[in-house]
Structures are given as C-alpha cells and as structure tokens.
Amino acid sequence: MRSFVGRLDPTFDRYLKTSGFLLNWIAVIMFCVMLGANSYNIFLRTVLDLGTMWHQEVSIMAAFWIYFAAYGLLSKEDGFIRVEFLVERFRPPIQYWIFVMVRFAIIAFHVTLFIFCIKTFKLISIYETPILQWPEFLYYIPLAVGTFDIITTEIIHLLRTLAFPERPP
C-alpha cells in the first residue's frame, strides 16, 4: 500500500493542485457573473427606472457554483470543521482509526449525494426555469461537479492516511 500510494503521490498532488486552481477560478468567475448581473439590475433600476427578472436566476446559479467550489477547496486543504479536541483524548492508535472512519463517512455521504444528484438530473430535466427558460438541471451541475471533486479528494486523503499513518491527518 505504501509503495502504491508513494508512486501515485505526484499524481495526487497534481490533481489536488489543478482542481484547486480550477475551483478557485470557477468561484471567482461566478462571483463576477453574480456581481455583474446584480450591478446591471441596480443600474437599470436607478438610472432608467427599469428592472430585470433574469438576474435572480443567474445569481442563484452562480451562488451554487461558488458554494460547491468553496466546499471543494476546503476539502483540498483538509479544512473541514472537526471535533479534534475530543479525539485528542484517545491514544494515537484509536485517533488514527477515528480519522480513517471519518474519511469513510465523508466519502459515503458524498457518494450518496452524487448518486442522488445524477438521478435528479433525469427527473428535473423536463422542467425549465421560470424566467430564462433554461433547463433546471443546470442547478444540479455544480452539485455533481463539487461532490465528485470532494469524493476524489477524500479518497486521496484516505489513501495517504492508510499508507502513511505517521503523517498527521
């Protein structure tokens, strides 16, 4: 296991770095889209006494991308909210197995979320957003991308934890 993970470690690092870079830029671009749509609406309301309806749908979709990109970035840095102060009361071997089991729980949760997201694509694909008339499954794409990335990242962290127990989690 140690040699297998050791050989894949450069690939893991590349994946974490590249996907982190992409998620960061997705979040920045979507924030700019949301800012632009809302600024345009504010400008129209202030200057021309007109308003848009579509800016809300665009803002919600952009917010979904921002949220799941941020959550993916947190998983890359291993920055989840934890209760380590409770785990630190146990002996190191027990702490190690708690960290392993927590990784399995995180992976299981996100795999379940990913499966339900894919199943929801089929169901929701017949509906459209009320204003722009875009397919509603667009709301679920950030969820699918984010959960897939988190699953991959957590598997990398799990493999590293199992192969190198002396490294802190």
Side-chain angles (χ1 to χ4, degrees), residues 21 36 80 98 101 128:
F21 176 81
F80 293 112
I98 289 173
M101 296 314 291
E128 294 179 338

Side-chain angles (χ1 to χ4, degrees), residues 40-111:
Y40 179 71
N41 185 51
I42 291 169
F43 172 78
L44 286 179
R45 285 180 184 264
T46 305
V47 176
L48 303 175
D49 201 26
L50 297 172
T52 62
M53 298 291 285
W54 57 265
H55 78 281
Q56 292 175 341
E57 287 180 5
V58 170
S59 293
I60 291 170
M61 286 184 195
F64 273 55
W65 280 102
I66 292 168
Y67 175 77
F68 288 106
Y71 196 62
L73 289 170
L74 283 174
S75 74
K76 303 244 177 289
E77 297 299 321
D78 211 12
F80 293 112
I81 298 171
R82 297 185 227 191
V83 287
E84 290 174 341
F85 65 92
L86 292 174
V87 176
E88 289 171 353
R89 296 175 187 252
F90 297 106
R91 290 179 291 148
I94 295 173
Q95 288 179 15
Y96 170 78
W97 286 109
I98 289 173
F99 287 129
V100 168
M101 296 314 291
V102 166
R103 291 267 184 231
F104 276 119
I106 291 170
I107 291 168
F109 171 76
H110 284 94
V111 165

Side-chain angles (χ1 to χ4, degrees), residues 25-35 58 61-63 65-66:
W25 276 103
I26 286 171
V28 168
I29 290 167
M30 289 299 149
F31 182 75
C32 291
V33 166
M34 189 169 29
L35 182 67
V58 170
M61 286 184 195
W65 280 102
I66 292 168

